[in-house]
Amino acid sequence: MISEKMRPFLANNSAIRMMFEEGKQMAALYGADKVYDFSLGNPNVPAPEKVNQAIKEILDEEDPLFVHGYMSNAGYPQVRAAIAENLNRRFGTSFTERNLIMTVGAGSGLNVAFKTVLDPGDEVITFAPYFLEYRAYVTNYDGVLVTVDPDESTFQINQEGFRAKMNEKTKAVIINNPNNPTGVVYSEETIRALAAILEEKQKEYGHAIYLISDEPYRELVFDGATVPFVTNYYANTMVVYSYSKSLSLPGERIGYLLIPDELEDSAVTIDAATIANRISGCVNAPSLIQLAVGRCVDCQADLAFYDRNRKTLYEGLTSLGFTCIRPQGAFYLWVKVPETGSVCDAEGGAGADQACGAGSEADSKGRRNADSETRADDAGNRLAAEAAFVAAAKKYHILAVPGSSFACTGYVRLAYCVSYETIVNSLPEFKKLAEEFSL
Amino acid sequence: MISEKMRPFLANNSAIRMMFEEGKQMAALYGADKVYDFSLGNPNVPAPEKVNQAIKEILDEEDPLFVHGYMSNAGYPQVRAAIAENLNRRFGTSFTERNLIMTVGAGSGLNVAFKTVLDPGDEVITFAPYFLEYRAYVTNYDGVLVTVDPDESTFQINQEGFRAKMNEKTKAVIINNPNNPTGVVYSEETIRALAAILEEKQKEYGHAIYLISDEPYRELVFDGATVPFVTNYYANTMVVYSYSKSLSLPGERIGYLLIPDELEDSAVTIDAATIANRISGCVNAPSLIQLAVGRCVDCQADLAFYDRNRKTLYEGLTSLGFTCIRPQGAFYLWVKVPETGSVCDAEGGAGADQACGAGSEADSKGRRNADSETRADDAGNRLAAEAAFVAAAKKYHILAVPGSSFACTGYVRLAYCVSYETIVNSLPEFKKLAEEFSL
C-alpha cells in the first residue's frame, strides 16, 4: 500500500546513504582507523567554537519563549537581516530580510523553490554529474529533470549541450557551484554564457526561466578561486544555501532560500515560497540554531584543514598514477576510473546509477562515447569498470562513491572532508589499488 | 509564474498566521499587556529548564561532529530507543528504535506519512473542526481531504457521519487527540467505535486504511482524562508526535512518526517513510535538539500552569454567559458565538474558511442546520455572526480565531497558552464583549 511514487525509491535507495551505513558497519568490524570512508559529505572539521558559544549565550541571554518559539514562517527577521547585510557587504548586492526565507537546510530550500514554481510536466535542466537528489526533488512536484552531458575536459558547463536541451517546457535550471561531485568552480565566463542563453530563451519562449543556484560550498574555495554571485548576472535567479558545510552543521538542517527583488513577480514569489515553507510541514527553520547562525554570519570554515586534505589527496593520488580533476572548491575529489576495466559487477553499478529511480540514465551513461559504434556497449563497459574499481577499493577499506551515483559513469567521488590521518593512512592503500590496476 | 497549485494559498494565506502577525502589530501599537492575543498555539510556558541544561551538557560532553553532523535519516538510534522505551513504559507497547522516525515537527511527520501512502485521488477523512493545514498536507500529494460533520453536543467523533463518508478511495483517516481546536479528548469508547468501522471497511474494500493520529497535545490533559494510545486499538495506525507543546519547543521543529510492527507491510512502510523524510529535503530532524529531546523524554510540561489558565478562562467566560465546550486537553477553549448575530462582515469569515484554498467548505458550513429550509442561508448567517463576533472582540484587543478557520463556523478558538496575566486582564474586556452581545 506504499504510494506508487515511492516504490522506485525503495528499490534503489540512495547509494551514498547506503555506503554511509556500510562505512559505519565496516568501522565497527575493522576499527574506525582502518576504514577510509570517503563516501559522505559529512564534514570532519568541527563547527567553529563560536557556534557552540553562541548557542550557550542565546540560552543564557534570551527568553526561552523567543528561543524555542514560533517566529514568522520565513524566519527571525533579525537573522535574515544579518545574513542580508553579510551578503551585501561581500557581493555588492542590496538584499533585505524580505529577500530571505530561512529553510530546513538546502534540501528543503530546493524543495520550497520547486514547490513554488513548478507545474506538472515542467522541465528542470541540470548538468551531469549532479547530486542525484535533484531528481527526487523535481519529481516531488511532478517536474521532469533533464540532464546535460558534461564537457569532460573541464567539467565547466557544456553550453551547447545546455542550449540543445531547452524547450518551451523549461521552467528552471539548477547549478551547483562549487560543484559536488567534481570540485570544480564555475567561472564568471561560464555564468555569463549560461545567463546569455537563459536571457535569449526567456525571450524566445516568452516566460521566465529560473536559475536555481545551489551553493552550500560557496565559502569552500581554494587557490584564490572566486564564485560568481549569480543574482549579479541574471535577474531570475534564486540562491539556495546551507550552513551544513561552511559551519559544519549538516545535521542541524539550517539554510536559506534567497529571492532577489529583480526576479519576475518577486513579491508574489517570496510570499508563495514562504507559504510553501509552511505547508511543506517544515513551518519554519529550527529556531535555536537559526538564532545561532544569525550570530555567526561572519564565521569562517577552517579552510586550511580542507586545503591540506585536498593537496595531500590530490597530489598523493596523481603521483600514484590516478587521473583526477584538480578541485578548486567544495571538498570532493573526482577521480577517473583507470581504463583497465576488468568486468566483474556491472549490475551493482547499474543499480546505483538509478538511485533516484525516476527514469533511465541510459542517455547519460552513453554520452561520452563519441566514436564507438554502439553507445550502449561502451556505457556498459564504463559501468562495469567503475563497479570493479569501487569493489576493488573496498577490499582496501576505501569507500568511494561511484560516478554513476551522480549520473556520470567512469569516475568515483572521494569526499575529503575526513580527518587528515584518514587521508595520510589511506595513501598506502590507494597505492595497492593503483598496483592492482597497473598504474 | 507561480505554480498553479500555490495560487489559492496566496489568495487565502493562513488566517491564524495572519492573526499572529496582526497580534504582533497590535502589541507594538497598544503595548503587549493591552492586547489579549489568543490566536496562536505558541506556548507561553517556557521549555523545562532541563531542556536548556541538556543542550549545554551535550555541547560540553559530546563531539561536535556527532552533535551537529548527519545521522541516519530516521534519526539518532539512541534517541529513538529512549522514546520507544518511554512509550512502552507508559502504554504497554513494545516498540523499538526501528518503529520511530524523527521528523521536523508534527507538520513534517504528517507530510512524511502522506507522502509514503497517498496516491493521487486517494481520500483522507478528517473530522470538523480540524486544523486546516491538514487540507494542504493532503493536497501536497494530490490526495483529497473529506470532512465529517461534528456532533456539536460533545465534539466526540460523529461515527455515523464517518461511516457515510467512507468509500473505496478512502486511504487514511486523521484524528487529532486531544483535539485542536475543541480541547476535547476522544474517549476509549470513541476510539473503539472508530476502529470497529475501520476494520469493517478494510474488509469490505480489501485494502488497508491508515489511521493517522496527530498527538502533539498527548500530555496536556486535565481532570484525570486519559488519551487512548491508538496502536493498542487498531493495527494500521501511525502516530505523529511533536515536542512543540509538551516541551514548549514549537520553533525547534522536532517530533516523530511512529509506525508499529503491527501495521500492514510495516518494514516496507518504515523504509519508505525514512526515504520520504530524506527526499522531502528535510533529510533528518535537526540534530542538537533531537539529542536534547532524547535526554528529556521523561520531562513533563507544566500542566498546573495550563490548568490554572484553563479553569480561569472557562469559568470566567461561562460566568459571563458565554457557552464553551469544557476542555479536557490541549490548551484551547472552544467558544460558541452568541446567537445575536448582527451581520456585518460575512466575507471576511468566508475568506478565512477557505484558508487552505483547496475546495469549497460549503457543505461543512451548512452542516449543522438540521431544521432550516435553506442550509446556505443559515450557513451565511452563522458566518456573518461569527465574523461580527471576531470583529467585536478585536475592538477590546481580544484576538480569537474564527471557527471557520477550522471548517466549523459559529465558534471561536481561544488559545489559552498565554500568560496568566493575559487571562486575568482579558476578563474585564470579555465582560464588555458579553455586554455588547447582551449576554
Side-chain angles (χ1 to χ4, degrees), chain B residues 121-158:
Chain B
D122 280 348
E123 294 186 1
V124 179
I125 296 180
T126 199
F127 303 92
Y130 67 94
F131 182 46
L132 276 202
E133 294 291 272
Y134 288 168
R135 186 175 294 279
Y137 297 166
V138 169
T139 55
N140 279 343
Y141 310 98
D142 299 313
V144 178
L145 190 77
V146 174
T147 61
V148 176
D149 296 351
D151 169 354
E152 285 187 73
S153 61
T154 63
F155 283 99
Q156 293 283 324
I157 284 172
N158 166 1

Side-chain angles (χ1 to χ4, degrees), chain A residues 56 60 68 115 140 252, chain B residues 56 60 68 115 140 252:
Chain A
K56 289 179 183 172
D60 288 338
H68 303 299
K115 187 171 180 64
N140 279 344
E252 299 292 359
Chain B
K56 289 179 184 172
D60 288 338
H68 303 300
K115 186 171 181 63
N140 279 343
E252 299 291 359

Side-chain angles (χ1 to χ4, degrees), chain B residues 173-244:
Chain B
V173 174
I174 325 174
I175 58 171
N176 178 214
N177 195 26
N179 190 262
N180 171 15
T182 64
V184 161
V185 175
Y186 293 150
S187 66
E188 189 174 16
E189 186 190 347
T190 294
I191 298 299
R192 281 196 195 282
L194 186 77
I197 295 173
L198 283 163
E199 295 285 6
E200 175 197 321
K201 292 293 181 181
Q202 282 196 141
K203 270 192 203 136
E204 184 179 333
Y205 305 140
H207 64 73
I209 303 172
Y210 301 102
L211 176 57
I212 299 174
S213 190
D214 177 23
E215 306 191 348
Y217 304 100
R218 164 162 286 282
E219 289 78 17
L220 301 185
V221 286
F222 314 102
D223 299 342
T226 55
V227 184
F229 201 79
V230 191
T231 64
N232 290 334
Y233 298 85
Y234 182 66
N236 281 330
T237 294
M238 300 187 193
V239 176
V240 174
Y241 187 79
S242 165
Y243 292 92
S244 293

Side-chain angles (χ1 to χ4, degrees), chain B residues 119-387:
Chain B
D119 286 309
D122 280 348
E123 294 186 1
V124 179
I125 296 180
T126 199
F127 303 92
Y130 67 94
F131 182 46
L132 276 202
E133 294 291 272
Y134 288 168
R135 186 175 294 279
Y137 297 166
V138 169
T139 55
N140 279 343
Y141 310 98
D142 299 313
V144 178
L145 190 77
V146 174
T147 61
V148 176
D149 296 351
D151 169 354
E152 285 187 73
S153 61
T154 63
F155 283 99
Q156 293 283 324
I157 284 172
N158 166 1
Q159 305 284 357
E160 285 316 304
F162 172 49
R163 182 192 293 276
K165 290 290 177 86
M166 297 193 90
N167 65 58
E168 295 214 342
K169 288 188 186 164
T170 306
K171 178 68 86 59
V173 174
I174 325 174
I175 58 171
N176 178 214
N177 195 26
N179 190 262
N180 171 15
T182 64
V184 161
V185 175
Y186 293 150
S187 66
E188 189 174 16
E189 186 190 347
T190 294
I191 298 299
R192 281 196 195 282
L194 186 77
I197 295 173
L198 283 163
E199 295 285 6
E200 175 197 321
K201 292 293 181 181
Q202 282 196 141
K203 270 192 203 136
E204 184 179 333
Y205 305 140
H207 64 73
I209 303 172
Y210 301 102
L211 176 57
I212 299 174
S213 190
D214 177 23
E215 306 191 348
Y217 304 100
R218 164 162 286 282
E219 289 78 17
L220 301 185
V221 286
F222 314 102
D223 299 342
T226 55
V227 184
F229 201 79
V230 191
T231 64
N232 290 334
Y233 298 85
Y234 182 66
N236 281 330
T237 294
M238 300 187 193
V239 176
V240 174
Y241 187 79
S242 165
Y243 292 92
S244 293
K245 318 299 178 181
S246 60
L247 297 183
S248 295
L249 301 171
E252 299 291 359
R253 314 310 302 139
I254 183 71
Y256 60 76
L257 170 64
L258 182 146
I259 301 177
D261 289 341
E262 293 75 17
L263 185 127
E264 183 183 286
D265 296 332
S266 173
V268 170
T269 310
I270 290 168
D271 288 348
T274 306
I275 295 170
N277 200 31
R278 188 193 93 217
I279 64 173
S280 70
C282 288
V283 182
N284 55 249
S287 52
L288 170 58
I289 198 74
Q290 191 185 142
L291 289 170
V293 154
R295 292 188 181 205
C296 297
V297 287
D298 295 321
C299 281
Q300 295 284 338
D302 186 355
L303 271 181
F305 173 94
Y306 291 120
D307 202 15
R308 185 167 73 154
N309 278 3
R310 178 181 75 111
K311 285 177 177 155
T312 308
L313 191 64
Y314 176 78
E315 283 158 19
L317 263 62
T318 49
S319 74
L320 287 171
F322 290 102
T323 303
C324 312
I325 299 293
R326 185 178 171 87
Q328 285 199 297
F331 40 48
Y332 303 109
L333 188 65
W334 189 236
V335 184
K336 205 162 184 343
V337 168
E339 293 185 13
T340 55
S342 61
V343 179
C344 74
D345 179 26
E347 291 314 305
D353 189 45
Q354 290 169 21
C356 277
S360 162
E361 284 298 322
D363 73 331
S364 72
K365 281 176 217 156
R367 76 170 71 94
R368 281 156 248 87
N369 180 11
D371 307 317
S372 167
E373 290 171 36
T374 51
R375 289 166 60 94
D377 273 9
D378 184 70
N381 289 343
R382 277 180 78 137
L383 200 52
E386 178 184 286

